[in-house]
Amino acid sequence: MGSNPTFTLEILRVPVNYDLSLEEMIAAGKYDWQNNNINIINFPPPAGGWGSGLVNLDVELACFNRFTEPEEVLYKFDLYDRRPGVLPELLAVGAEYPQKQIEFPIVQIGSVWPDLQRGGKRGVYLRRGNKERGLAFIWLEHGFPGYYRIIAVKK
């Protein structure tokens, strides 16, 4: 994808084990806290699964350096032949690079929970609170501040 005037990238080589259960992926991250609604019921894998086996993946952290709406992020990713990262890829980043989320929030928008009770779509992100690491929800309709990183993967 390279650099573009509208965003910058950092590429992380991440081992992603798609065969682990969601609970095992979360446990591997050793988070100080997490939202219990981040579970297999609210985030089931797609019909064909997220992937299979252990894969060394280049996960790209896109920073738009300004407030960005989800539609623009998806448009830019598609323009550069990328797809938004999914939950197992985000959790693998959290497990492999735990200090990254202390530097900045890291969001995935490829796995979405349509929270019908509250009327919105939720993604999951790695965030910090003081020096603690957490796994939390983000309302996709609210967009992303310029310092957030949004994960992308080559199609």
Side-chain angles (χ1 to χ4, degrees), residues 2 4 7 18 33 37 56 67 69 73 78 81 91 93 114 129 144 152 155:
N4 178 293
F7 58 90
Y18 294 102
W33 48 270
N37 286 313
N56 287 313
F67 182 85
E69 297 287 346
V73 172
D78 192 51
D81 201 31
L91 295 171
V93 168
F144 313 105
K155 288 184 183 176

Side-chain angles (χ1 to χ4, degrees), residues 74-125:
L74 293 171
Y75 172 78
K76 291 287 186 179
F77 283 179
D78 192 51
L79 188 64
Y80 289 94
D81 201 31
R82 300 302 191 263
R83 64 165 175 79
V86 293
L87 192 50
E89 296 154 358
L90 176 77
L91 295 171
V93 168
E96 188 71 13
Y97 297 94
Q99 291 305 307
K100 283 290 177 189
Q101 75 186 86
I102 299 295
E103 295 175 40
F104 39 71
I106 304 170
V107 180
Q108 68 78 34
I109 60 174
S111 301
V112 176
W113 174 28
D115 186 349
L116 302 177
Q117 289 183 335
R118 298 194 182 197
K121 295 179 183 175
R122 293 186 184 204
V124 177
Y125 76 122

Side-chain angles (χ1 to χ4, degrees), residues 44-61:
W50 282 307
S52 64
L54 178 62
V55 178
N56 287 313
L57 194 63
D58 287 334
V59 174
E60 301 171 344
L61 304 181

